[in-house]
C-alpha cells in the first residue's frame, strides 16, 4: 500500500519514558516492509503543553527532529536551545537530547531514527 490515512494509524500514549514529565503521543507514519531495514522509527510525536520527553542518549542510532508546530526547548547534550516550527535538530550516535514544550499549544514534530 502506498498510502495510509490518519484514521488507519494508531496513536499511542507514551507515559513510561524515564525522565519524562507527563505523557506524549506517538503516531508511527510508516513501519514494517514500507521503510528501509535501517530505519527504526518514522513517526509524528505530539508533546502537550507543559510536558517534556526524557533526556536520553543514542548509542547505536541517530535521530532527526523536524518541528511542525509549537514552541519549546531542545536539550542538546546539556545546552538548551529554543525551538519553533520549521527547526530541524540532529542527534548523532553518542549524543544525548530531550525536548520540552514550554508553549501553550501542542508541540508536534516528525522523528526519524536510523541505525548505524
Amino acid at each position: 500500500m502506498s498510502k495510509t490515512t490518519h484514521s488507519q494509524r494508531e496513536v499511542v500514549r507514551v507515559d513510561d519514558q524515564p525522565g519524562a514529565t507527563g505523557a506524549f503521543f506517538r503516531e508511527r507514519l510508516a513501519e514494517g516492509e514500507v521503510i528501509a531495514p535501517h530505519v527504526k522509527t518514522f513517526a509524528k510525536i505530539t508533546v502537550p503543553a507543559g510536558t517534556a520527553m526524557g533526556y536520553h542518549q543514542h548509542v547505536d542510532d541517530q535521530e532527526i527532529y523536524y518541528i511542525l508546530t509549537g514552541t519549546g526547548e531542545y536539550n542538546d547534550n546539556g545546552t538548551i536551545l529554543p525551538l519553533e516550527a520549521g527547526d530541524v535538530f540532529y542527534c548523532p550516535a553518542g549524543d544525548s537530547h530531550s525536548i520540552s514544550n514550554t508553549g501553550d499549544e501542542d508541540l508536534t514534530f516528525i522523528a526519524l531514527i536510523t541505525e548505524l
Side-chain angles (χ1 to χ4, degrees), residues 28-102:
R28 293 194 188 279
L29 300 175
E31 55 190 341
E33 71 280 353
V34 177
I35 57 178
H38 64 279
V39 175
K40 291 174 67 174
T41 300
F42 178 53
K44 178 183 174 189
I45 308 296
T46 301
V47 181
T51 63
M53 298 177 70
Y55 186 74
H56 61 281
Q57 183 180 33
H58 286 266
V59 178
D60 296 323
D61 57 24
Q62 57 192 354
E63 185 166 26
I64 298 172
Y65 290 163
Y66 174 64
I67 309 301
L68 299 171
T69 65
T71 57
E73 296 177 337
Y74 180 84
N75 184 335
D76 181 11
N77 293 296
T79 301
I80 306 300
L81 303 170
L83 65 82
E84 63 184 7
D87 290 348
V88 174
F89 295 93
Y90 171 61
C91 183
D95 282 8
S96 298
H97 68 155
S98 67
I99 197 166
S100 61
N101 183 342
T102 60

Side-chain angles (χ1 to χ4, degrees), residues 12-25:
V12 176
R13 178 186 170 100
V14 180
D15 53 9
D16 60 351
Q17 184 189 41
T21 58
F24 61 93
F25 300 87

